[in-house]
Amino acid sequence: MSMKVHQLARGFWEQHEPPSLSLGCKRLRPLAPKLQSETVTSADSVSSFDLKSFIRPESGPRKLHDKKDTTQVETHPGGTRWNPTQEQIGILEMLYGGGMRTPNAQQIEQITAQLGRYGKIEGKNVFYWFQNHKARERQKQKRNSLGISHSPRTPTAVNTISLDTTRGGLLEREEDSPYKRKCRSWGFESLELEESIRSSKEEGDRTLELFPLHPEGR
Amino acid sequence: MSMKVHQLARGFWEQHEPPSLSLGCKRLRPLAPKLQSETVTSADSVSSFDLKSFIRPESGPRKLHDKKDTTQVETHPGGTRWNPTQEQIGILEMLYGGGMRTPNAQQIEQITAQLGRYGKIEGKNVFYWFQNHKARERQKQKRNSLGISHSPRTPTAVNTISLDTTRGGLLEREEDSPYKRKCRSWGFESLELEESIRSSKEEGDRTLELFPLHPEGR
DNA sequence: GCAAATTAATGATTTATTCAAG
DNA sequence: CTTGAATAAATCATTAATTTGC
C-alpha cells in the first residue's frame, strides 16, 4: 500500500537558471583546495542517456578524468548529480547550524534561489541535502557516543564559545529529535485534498544532543 | 478512491524509475570530503587584504575588491557603515525567514564568516541587522494589520507563491500549537491558507512570521 | 608526474515506521 | 483496521580525493 509512483508534482521546482552568471567556477583540481565549479552551462538535459545502465564492468575503466586538454571539460552530457560549491555548502551548513532541519517548500524555494547564485541547483538538492545531513550528523553522533562509552561528560563539547548574554534561547534548539514531524506540505496544485495540518508535538528526543554542532565536519 | 490524489502527493521529484533506467537528474559533484571550513573560509585572508586601505585610506572601507558579483546595491558611499551586498541581504533574509531572530555569538560568528565572502562585514553588523530587521518587520506588520484583513481564501492567489506556512518549522521553539503534524509543501502552489490564518494565533511572541520573502519570484 | 585503481563522502532513491484520520 | 501523509533509515550510485604503479 504504499504508493505507487507517480510523478506529477515536481515540476515546478526545477531550477530555473539563475540570472546569468553562475559563476562559481572552479572544479578541477583534485586535491587540495577545492573549488569545483563547473561552468556547465547548458546542461539541463535531463534526458539522460542512461549510460549508467551500461553497467560497470567490474574493474573497467570508469570515468577518469583524462580529459585535460580538450576545451570542454567533460560537460557531462547527461547531467549528473548536483555538485555543491563551497559557497553553497557554507550557506547550507550555516542554516543547519541555525537550527534548520527540514525546510518547507517555501523555504526551500528561497534557499534555492539564493544558492542558485553560486551554481546550478534545484530545490530537491536542497531538500536532500538537509535530509542527508541530518541523518549523517545523527549517525556520526551516535557512533561517537558509543565510542565514548566512558567519558563522564564530554560530549562533544566543542565550542564553549557561547556567548550568552541574555538570551538563551534563540532559535535552535531542536536538535534533531527522533520524530518530529515538521511541517511541510507537498501541496501540489489544487487537489481537493485538504491537508490537514496537524501537528504533532514534538519531540521525544532521545539522546540529547547538545548542539548540532558540526564545526568543520566533513 | 483516493488513490489518485495520492499520487500527487507523493511525487517526489521524479521518483521511481520505471523499468530500468532512466534516472532523473544529475549533475554536479557530490562527495568528497571537503572542508569548507578551513579551505576557503578564510574570509579573513581575503579581507586581510585590505584593499581598502589602498584605495581610499581615508574614506574608509569600501568593498570593492574584485567581486565579480552581481549587482550590488551598494553604492556605498564610502562611509564607514556596513554596506550589505545583495548576497548578504539575501542570505540574512533567508535566515530570518527560517526563523532566526537573535543569533547567538557562535551563530553570528558563523554567519559573519560566510557573509565575509561577499564583502566586508563584522559580527556587529549581523547582530544589528537582526535587531533592526526584527523591529522593522514588526512595525510593518502592525501597520498592515490595521489596513488589511487577511483574506481567508484568496482564490486568486493560487499561483502566487506566497504563503506563509506558519512557522515553518524550523527551528524555533514551538511551544504552542495545537496543530502538530506539519506538512510540507513542495510545490509551492497551494499551500494552506488556512494555516496562515491560524498561525496568527499562535505566534505569540515572535510575531508571526510572515516571511518577508522578497519577491523574487521566479 | 601522470593516471588507473581504490577509498571516502555524500547526493539520490527506496523502504520501513510512525502518527493521525476515517 | 485501513489508508494517507511525512519522515527517518537503509541502500544505491557517483564522483572528488587518495593511493598506487609505472
Side-chain angles (χ1 to χ4, degrees), chain A residues 23-29 34-40 63 76 79-89 92 115 118-122 125-126 129, chain B residues 25-34:
Chain A
L23 111 44
C25 331
K26 325 160 156 205
R27 191 216 232 4
L28 293 184
R29 205 160 258 140
K34 62 191 1 2
L35 322 169
Q36 66 280 25
S37 80
E38 250 210 316
T39 24
V40 189
K63 86 142 331 40
H76 34 343
T80 346
R81 47 182 213 182
W82 169 55
N83 210 334
T85 63
Q86 284 298 4
E87 288 95 344
Q88 292 173 331
I89 294 288
L92 288 168
L115 298 186
Y118 315 115
K120 192 175 177 59
I121 185 171
E122 294 175 70
N125 303 130
V126 173
W129 188 90
Chain B
C25 18
K26 315 165 96 251
R27 208 181 166 58
L28 305 164
R29 122 231 179 162
L31 49 95
K34 24 190 67 189

Side-chain angles (χ1 to χ4, degrees), chain A residues 104 106-107, chain B residues 93 95-101 133-146 148 150 163-173 175-176 179 195-213:
Chain A
N104 60 31
Q106 183 187 357
Q107 296 171 319
Chain B
E93 292 193 331
L95 289 163
Y96 188 89
M100 191 175 281
R101 291 291 179 279
H133 197 70
K134 182 171 56 179
R136 286 164 184 151
E137 281 299 309
R138 202 174 279 153
Q139 292 180 333
K140 188 182 301 179
Q141 180 174 327
K142 187 167 288 183
R143 276 200 304 278
N144 292 341
S145 65
L146 297 175
I148 299 173
H150 331 336
L163 53 55
D164 49 295
T165 12
T166 96
R167 77 218 341 349
L170 302 173
L171 15 83
E172 44 230 304
R173 46 349 210 38
E175 52 278 23
D176 33 349
Y179 21 118
E195 266 221 89
S196 49
I197 296 170
R198 287 183 266 167
S199 61
S200 53
K201 82 172 150 237
E202 64 167 305
E203 56 210 341
D205 83 318
R206 54 37 148 10
T207 44
L208 71 64
E209 324 247 48
L210 300 191
F211 290 65
L213 211 6

